[in-house]
Amino acid sequence: MERIVAESPRPDFLDVGIGTGIAARQFLAAGRKVLGVEVDARMAEWARQRGLDVEMMAFEAWDPASRQFDAVVSGQAWHWVDPVAGAAKAAEALRPGGRLAVFWNAGHPSPDLAEAFSAVYRRVIPDSLASRQWTTVSDAYSVLSGRAADGIRDVGAFGEPERKLH
């Protein structure tokens, strides 16, 4: 979060898939103005109850209405967005020099525990994100971040995507 704030010195942020507002509240605390876009009515209401501005719509169909933002961020949600259409919409909503930052949290249990988690998820819900996340840290979320990076590249409006593990 600190890096995104530091590298986006202007204040207007758009949070794609704002959910309950966990990331948005941290950006607000860092002095940013945040507008959320959320497809799920329950999540949007939850964020609104915490004082956040939210527009209800799938991001790919959302209309920025000539508004521009200094950063488009998405914490834990970009995998729900079409990677090419989402990157194109982000490019449309960003001011020149703006930043697109999509990020996820990845668990890091011990190898034995990771395998136990993975075995259960493969058995119960084999096609879920949870069934893939309990691999090595370097592989955690690599499918999601790879799809996001490919979509960003395909749009051609951004530089080469960076992948950071913290």
Side-chain angles (χ1 to χ4, degrees), residues 64-78:
S66 299
R67 295 171 291 183
Q68 290 194 305
F69 299 86
D70 304 304
V72 173
V73 299
S74 183
Q76 298 291 111
W78 196 258

Side-chain angles (χ1 to χ4, degrees), residues 12-143:
D12 297 318
F13 278 38
L14 179 67
D15 188 345
V16 177
I18 194 169
T20 62
I22 292 170
R25 290 192 308 270
Q26 292 177 59
F27 289 123
L28 282 172
R32 301 307 187 251
K33 295 183 282 183
V34 180
L35 172 64
V37 176
E38 177 58 54
V39 71
D40 184 273
R42 294 166 300 170
M43 292 290 205
E45 184 55 31
W46 187 274
R48 286 182 186 121
Q49 288 174 3
R50 279 139 192 84
L52 298 164
D53 293 326
V54 183
E55 294 180 7
M56 279 269 320
M57 175 90 38
F59 181 60
E60 300 90 332
W62 176 76
D63 180 7
S66 299
R67 295 171 291 183
Q68 290 194 305
F69 299 86
D70 304 304
V72 173
V73 299
S74 183
Q76 298 291 111
W78 196 258
H79 55 279
W80 298 111
V81 175
D82 176 275
V84 175
K89 184 63 70 170
E92 177 186 348
L94 283 167
R95 287 188 175 99
R99 172 170 305 280
L100 171 60
V102 300
F103 51 93
W104 293 269
N105 293 316
H108 184 45
S110 70
D112 290 344
L113 185 57
E115 180 49 41
F117 282 142
S118 187
V120 170
Y121 281 110
R122 282 192 309 265
R123 187 178 74 246
V124 177
I125 45 177
D127 294 328
S128 74
L129 169 62
S131 70
R132 294 188 304 266
Q133 78 181 24
W134 303 110
T135 59
T136 66
V137 170
S138 63
D139 284 345
Y141 288 80
S142 64
V143 171

